[in-house]
Amino acid sequence: MATHIKLSLDTRRKDTKTFPLIFRLTHNRKTTSIGTGHQLFVSDWDQKRHQIKPSFKGTESPARLNNLLQKRMAYMVDMLTQLEDNNKLKYMSVSEVRSYITRTSNKVTFYQFTEQQIQDMLKSKRVGNARVYKHTLNAVKNFRKSKDFTFDELNLDFLNRFEKYHLGKGNKLGGLSVYLRTIRAINRKAIKSGIADNEGYAFNDYIIRSGKPEKRALPINAIRKIAELELDENTALYRDRNIFMMSFLLNGMSFVDMAHLKLSNLIDGRIKYSRKKTNEPYNIKIHNQLKPFLTFFTKGKEKSDYLLNIIKSDIPTDSYNQIVWARKRFNDNLKKLAELAGIEENITSYAARHSFASGANDMGIPLTAISQMLGHKRISTTQAYLANLRKSKMDEYQDEIFGQLSEKRTIS
């Protein structure tokens, strides 16, 4: 048979530390790959035996994962053998062979795949993401009355019925939007892993309606009013005002990322860390205006100490709950700060991030630069992020255009 398949680590990219584990399919001297959904360090891959080493930390049991991968490969090899026995294989292209064996080998269900994603997130200490996936899985199970299904059944009709079911129970559009965006993310990961078929991707035809409230960015003069409030240093208001200003002066750093900052992240006049949401490395200059606020949180602390003293536990679920409660108290105090500063806008922990993004956009800073400063992986994310922050600027342009109608002109 001029066709074979093997498990291998794809180390072609040189700009990364971990590499995708793939099934490499060769057919008539042409090759293609089938993803497994796993990323490994070279040190965790046994090249001689074509299997994952026990040192791999990306799963609870490397031995069990090796067994599952071998079963999946055996199933695909069996499909290849059947094609050859039926004299069909030689007439197929390598892409047709790939499509056939990935579609027919799809035995992983939606529930199984999602549960695995949740476990992987918990192991990576991405507790917030894991909870969103768990809530979404529970919502789907309620809709399906716990009946499992394959990704082939995740079609346009499924999405429309899920929407009707959710809204029919009196739930809000915002919750539906979160569930559907999570289902979409799960579907995309399944396609990348070779579990689902790209041809059956229903979100090409389904539009997720946004239920998010309009986000309000603060003008720079409102930010200045908050910064200049005279507050007692021994109060929670003083502390939370400083956290708000730090968020703004750190390019709109999220509350979760600030909660995870340690003094060890302060290196040579910069703050270096990885975003919890995306795990992307981030490097920010410590601006002179940031230093007074930063000094308040660094007094008398060691390099291993957290900057904000929010996280008290090494257990990811506990630390996540501690951040949630701290953010609730922070939002309550932001309302009080807004009142003291005479600001009518509703302020939450996201206001500093939105204000930074909006201010940068109004100044004409290139979208690519704003995207990098916000820590977005894709410019499209930044475009969507800024879409509802531009209204005030559009109003100014409108006033400028229509204002010409009332200008007095001298007729000679």
Side-chain angles (χ1 to χ4, degrees):
M1 183 168 63
T3 307
H4 60 270
I5 188 168
K6 69 176 182 178
L7 193 62
S8 64
L9 195 65
D10 187 356
T11 58
R12 289 174 295 180
R13 285 189 61 180
K14 303 301 180 184
D15 58 342
T16 181
K17 293 182 180 179
T18 60
F19 302 92
L21 183 64
I22 62 170
F23 292 103
R24 190 175 299 282
L25 172 66
T26 302
H27 175 63
N28 292 334
R29 299 183 180 180
K30 294 185 178 180
T31 63
T32 187
S33 62
I34 300 168
T36 66
H38 297 281
Q39 294 271 340
L40 279 70
F41 290 100
V42 173
S43 58
D44 290 330
W45 177 244
D46 189 333
Q47 179 63 31
K48 185 176 180 181
R49 297 183 178 181
H50 294 282
Q51 67 180 24
I52 299 169
K53 292 181 179 179
S55 60
F56 180 53
K57 304 297 183 184
T59 183
E60 186 174 356
S61 173
R64 183 162 61 91
L65 178 57
N66 277 325
N67 187 42
L68 289 172
L69 291 170
Q70 288 302 319
K71 284 183 176 179
R72 185 177 169 194
M73 185 163 68
Y75 189 90
M76 289 188 286
V77 169
D78 186 51
M79 293 298 100
L80 292 173
T81 303
Q82 289 182 32
L83 286 173
E84 185 175 56
D85 289 346
N86 293 327
N87 202 31
K88 294 180 179 179
L89 190 59
K90 61 183 178 181
Y91 300 109
M92 299 172 69
S93 67
V94 67
S95 61
E96 288 174 333
V97 174
R98 182 192 185 281
S99 178
Y100 179 83
I101 65 175
T102 55
R103 182 168 59 249
T104 56
S105 65
N106 183 14
K107 295 295 182 182
V108 179
T109 68
F110 181 89
Y111 294 175
Q112 291 170 342
F113 185 79
T114 305
E115 288 285 5
Q116 183 61 56
Q117 296 300 308
I118 293 169
Q119 293 304 314
D120 291 345
M121 287 175 179
L122 289 174
K123 287 181 177 61
S124 302
K125 298 182 179 180
R126 296 167 61 195
V127 180
N129 288 14
R131 287 199 174 192
V132 173
Y133 271 52
K134 187 65 177 177
H135 290 322
T136 301
L137 180 59
N138 289 337
V140 174
K141 284 184 176 181
N142 289 335
F143 164 64
R144 294 274 302 179
K145 297 181 179 179
S146 296
K147 184 181 178 182
D148 205 350
F149 60 100
T150 65
F151 282 91
D152 288 339
E153 297 176 64
L154 186 56
N155 52 29
L156 185 60
D157 178 64
F158 179 102
L159 298 176
N160 286 327
R161 286 188 291 108
F162 178 75
E163 176 183 321
K164 185 177 180 180
Y165 168 83
H166 181 82
L167 297 179
K169 286 186 163 293
N171 297 310
K172 295 182 179 180
L173 192 59
L176 175 66
S177 174
V178 172
Y179 290 150
L180 287 169
R181 283 187 283 113
T182 307
I183 293 171
R184 182 176 62 186
I186 294 168
N187 199 174
R188 285 174 175 171
K189 289 180 180 180
I191 290 172
K192 188 176 181 180
S193 301
I195 301 300
D197 189 352
N198 192 39
E199 292 180 5
Y201 184 64
F203 287 94
N204 287 331
D205 301 312
Y206 181 88
I207 298 175
I208 299 176
R209 292 187 286 165
S210 175
K212 291 184 177 181
E214 182 178 330
K215 296 179 173 64
R216 299 288 296 274
L218 300 178
I220 194 65
N221 66 316
I223 301 289
R224 189 181 295 111
K225 286 179 181 179
I226 294 173
E228 294 175 351
L229 281 175
E230 294 185 7
L231 302 166
D232 186 340
E233 290 188 18
N234 298 314
T235 62
L237 284 179
Y238 182 86
R239 177 181 182 278
D240 287 346
R241 188 275 305 275
N242 288 0
I243 292 177
F244 180 85
M245 291 306 303
M246 278 180 55
S247 176
F248 181 79
L249 294 167
L250 286 170
N251 298 358
M253 185 186 292
S254 72
F255 187 84
V256 171
D257 285 336
M258 285 196 297
H260 282 93
L261 283 181
K262 294 184 176 182
L263 268 69
S264 56
N265 293 116
L266 280 62
I267 304 170
D268 298 330
R270 308 188 73 84
I271 292 181
K272 300 179 181 180
Y273 71 104
S274 294
R275 286 199 70 200
K276 288 298 174 182
K277 188 173 184 178
T278 62
N279 205 34
E280 289 291 304
Y282 214 42
N283 189 327
I284 306 176
K285 174 186 175 181
I286 297 176
H287 195 276
N288 287 335
Q289 293 191 40
L290 173 64
K291 291 179 181 178
F293 301 107
L294 204 55
T295 301
F296 174 78
F297 293 104
T298 57
K299 290 178 182 177
K301 291 183 179 178
E302 304 291 334
K303 282 284 186 182
S304 59
D305 292 336
Y306 286 106
L307 210 61
L308 302 187
N309 295 332
I310 290 174
I311 298 175
K312 311 290 185 183
S313 173
D314 292 330
I315 301 173
T317 50
D318 289 346
S319 63
Y320 175 82
N321 289 331
Q322 289 159 2
I323 293 171
V324 169
W325 281 109
R327 183 166 51 196
K328 183 181 183 302
R329 293 190 296 268
F330 178 62
N331 284 333
D332 290 341
N333 281 335
L334 284 179
K335 290 180 175 63
K336 297 176 183 178
L337 289 168
E339 186 177 348
L340 289 172
I343 298 170
E344 295 182 359
E345 287 91 341
N346 181 39
I347 304 178
T348 69
S349 60
Y350 296 100
R353 184 168 177 81
H354 297 146
S355 301
F356 173 82
S358 180
N361 186 58
D362 289 347
M363 288 176 64
I365 293 175
L367 189 62
T368 52
I370 298 175
S371 183
Q372 289 185 34
M373 286 190 283
L374 291 174
H376 289 159
K377 281 187 173 182
R378 302 179 183 87
I379 290 181
S380 59
T381 304
T382 311
Q383 289 173 323
Y385 195 88
L386 290 170
N388 55 4
L389 297 178
R390 297 192 182 116
K391 291 183 176 62
S392 61
K393 200 65 178 178
M394 295 303 104
D395 290 346
E396 290 179 22
Y397 292 151
Q398 186 185 42
D399 291 342
E400 185 177 339
I401 294 168
F402 296 160
Q404 297 179 59
L405 296 174
S406 58
E407 289 182 0
K408 294 182 180 179
R409 301 183 181 278
T410 302
I411 301 176
S412 56

